[in-house]
Amino acid sequence: MEIKKYIFEPHGDDRGQLVALEELKDIPFDVKRVYYMYDTTPGVTRGKHAHKCLQQIMICVHGSCKVLLDDGKEKEIFLLDKPNEGIYISNDIWREMFDFSTDAVLMVLASELYDESDYIRDYNQFIEYIER
Ligand code: TYD
């Protein structure tokens, strides 16, 4: 499974750091939506779904969390713990986010607006869908 890790250039100076993300430049798609998770209850796993069309970049802009990615054949776990590092997640990838630090803010840039019909929320259905 080829998962792309993105390192975003911080524009640092003696005042601190700044990361800018531009669609089709730093992010490989048109960004239609941004959302973020915070105050995540300790021990929970979020996500547990795949998307039929949506692409995403996930960045843990504060704190840390882990992301499991599964293409139906291989599974990989990534630690997101830097505000200038992200992972690209294409469509047809099952994802689970877990091990959130109490201060974690997980930001997601998405290629589509929210559309529940793009979700596959059942793992067996996901396997059936990608084997079609
Ligand atoms: P949910 O899909 O359960 O989060 P995750 O699978 O990433 O853990 O989303 C939680 C709630 O937020 C659910 O009621 C749907 C809503 N939601 C929106 O309204 N817009 C969005 O862009 C997203 C991602 C979720």
Side-chain angles (χ1 to χ4, degrees), residues 33-35 37 45-49 56 95 97 113-116 119 121:
R33 178 167 54 111
V34 176
Y35 61 94
M37 285 156 249
T45 297
R46 299 205 59 137
K48 295 194 197 167
H49 63 255
Q56 295 182 325
R95 87 286 319 272
M97 297 85 83
L113 300 178
Y114 179 69
D115 175 9
E116 190 57 39
Y119 280 72
R121 291 193 183 270

